[in-house]
Amino acid sequence: MRHQYHPLGFEGSRIAQGFWRLQEWGWSAQDTLAFVEQCVALGVTTFDHADIYGDYQCEGLFGEALKRKPELRDKMEIVTKCSILLPSEQRPEIKVHRYDYRREHILASVDRSLDNLQCEYIDTLLLHRPSPLMDADEVAQAFDHLFTLGKVKHFGVSNFTPQQFDLLQSRTDAPLIVNQVELSPLALQHFQDGTLDHMQQHAVTPMAWSPFAGGDLFSGQTERTLRVRNVLNELAEALEASVDQVVVAWLLRHPAGICPVMGSGNIERLQSAVEACQIRLSDDDWFRVLIASQGHDVP
């Protein structure tokens, strides 16, 4: 049976807030709720999760906060991921770090996420990493079931190559609307290997994890990092902006419509990213960053 999927693609905020470090922040449920409310007030309504974040605990911490003000659910888009299995005291049945794309695992993972997040549906479910044992037909069956039950509205992937994306899309009527990949001035692979071209071709939203290269753009000491940071500092001074704003603006400048996922619990950092949406880098400035990262001119 063919299901009537909504034709629109990703409808989240231009900047997303990630919660993979939520457990590390040591917040109370009230602290988390206050942060979420501040995010929404800034117009950041897309919240990025995964079942494994924080040793399988971050979704639950977020859910405890949301339970205190459930009406906030209608003002946000929740993205979460499944398929990675990590051995953990929280999940003693998992013995080997691997991937699981069996239909029953996807369905059970979504049910756990819904329980943890204390909500009735997930806006966008992503497959976290591609598996060499992925049976695309079986995944498609899981997607159809979840959509029919109203548990998931949209589907996508994370860290998929264009070929892996096309394989899954060929088996499911559900439009895959997101591919979350690593993108930053120090992570150029997907700018060069056709991944972003593929997403632009198919109107798929790239969500950028680790947009600041895990902090290396601010503190890394390699020759390459120092070279990029020097250019970023020069642009920040010329634009009367901060270095992190220049990085966000550099990602936003790409025509594929990159959605950077912020990972900090500092609301000022998030506000800075939102303000960066008003900065449009010139082609000259964009290529200066690219060339500094490559270490050589474009061909």
Side-chain angles (χ1 to χ4, degrees):
M1 183 176 73
R2 300 183 70 85
H3 298 271
Q4 297 300 311
Y5 290 98
H6 199 285
L8 295 180
F10 182 74
E11 297 179 286
S13 53
R14 195 68 178 89
I15 303 293
Q17 174 63 41
F19 286 90
W20 72 280
R21 287 186 173 135
L22 179 56
Q23 185 197 26
E24 301 174 17
W25 298 339
W27 290 350
S28 67
Q30 188 60 44
D31 293 333
T32 303
L33 175 61
F35 181 74
V36 169
E37 290 182 304
Q38 289 176 304
C39 292
V40 172
L42 287 172
V44 176
T45 57
T46 297
F47 299 117
D48 182 70
H49 295 272
D51 56 352
I52 62 169
Y53 286 169
D55 194 24
Y56 294 95
Q57 296 180 73
C58 287
E59 285 183 331
L61 293 172
F62 187 90
E64 285 299 317
L66 187 57
K67 183 173 69 171
R68 290 172 173 252
K69 196 170 183 180
E71 60 268 28
L72 273 177
R73 178 64 184 95
D74 293 335
K75 299 180 179 180
M76 64 178 67
E77 305 86 39
I78 292 179
V79 178
T80 197
K81 312 175 195 73
C82 70
S83 78
I84 297 178
L85 299 184
L86 288 177
S88 164
E89 291 183 2
Q90 307 296 326
R91 300 286 303 280
E93 75 278 11
I94 298 173
K95 307 300 182 185
V96 177
H97 179 191
R98 60 183 179 86
Y99 311 121
D100 191 340
Y101 279 155
R102 292 173 302 122
R103 178 181 183 273
E104 55 264 36
H105 173 76
I106 295 173
L107 300 182
S109 180
V110 167
D111 284 341
R112 272 193 300 269
S113 290
L114 291 173
D115 286 342
N116 289 332
L117 293 164
Q118 304 205 31
C119 58
E120 296 181 352
Y121 65 92
I122 292 165
D123 291 278
T124 305
L125 176 70
L126 308 184
L127 303 182
H128 206 156
R129 283 193 178 273
S131 170
L133 295 180
M134 181 182 76
D135 182 331
D137 291 306
E138 189 168 0
V139 173
Q141 292 172 12
F143 283 3
D144 279 349
H145 188 67
L146 290 166
F147 181 81
T148 300
L149 293 178
K151 293 182 177 182
V152 179
K153 289 187 174 183
H154 303 285
F155 300 90
V157 296
S158 183
N159 304 297
F160 271 48
T161 67
Q163 293 83 3
Q164 291 161 340
F165 184 101
D166 286 344
L167 167 61
L168 181 56
Q169 187 64 89
S170 74
R171 298 300 203 271
T172 177
D173 292 334
L176 304 176
I177 65 170
V178 166
N179 190 0
Q180 188 173 133
V181 296
E182 184 180 12
L183 297 168
S184 79
L186 293 179
L188 300 180
Q189 174 185 348
H190 300 303
F191 290 92
Q192 301 166 335
D193 66 2
T195 298
L196 283 176
D197 302 316
H198 178 269
M199 285 193 256
Q200 190 174 351
Q201 178 185 356
H202 295 284
V204 174
T205 296
M207 294 185 75
W209 62 264
S210 198
F212 302 122
D216 281 353
L217 284 169
F218 308 124
S219 58
Q221 295 299 313
T222 67
E223 179 181 347
R224 180 190 182 205
T225 303
L226 293 172
R227 193 169 60 231
V228 172
R229 190 183 306 140
N230 285 338
V231 172
L232 293 173
N233 280 326
E234 290 172 5
L235 293 177
E237 183 176 358
L239 294 166
E240 298 183 339
S242 59
V243 168
D244 59 296
Q245 287 179 320
V246 175
V247 173
V248 171
W250 189 80
L251 292 169
L252 296 179
R253 178 66 180 80
H254 195 278
I258 295 168
C259 172
V261 181
M262 301 293 109
S264 171
N266 185 327
I267 197 66
E268 286 77 19
R269 176 62 63 84
L270 185 61
Q271 182 173 358
S272 179
V274 171
E275 292 170 354
C277 295
Q278 305 304 313
I279 300 172
R280 182 173 174 84
L281 296 185
S282 69
D283 287 7
D284 282 352
D285 291 343
W286 197 91
F287 275 96
R288 284 184 64 194
V289 176
L290 177 71
I291 290 167
S293 183
Q294 291 182 156
H296 58 79
D297 206 347
V298 295

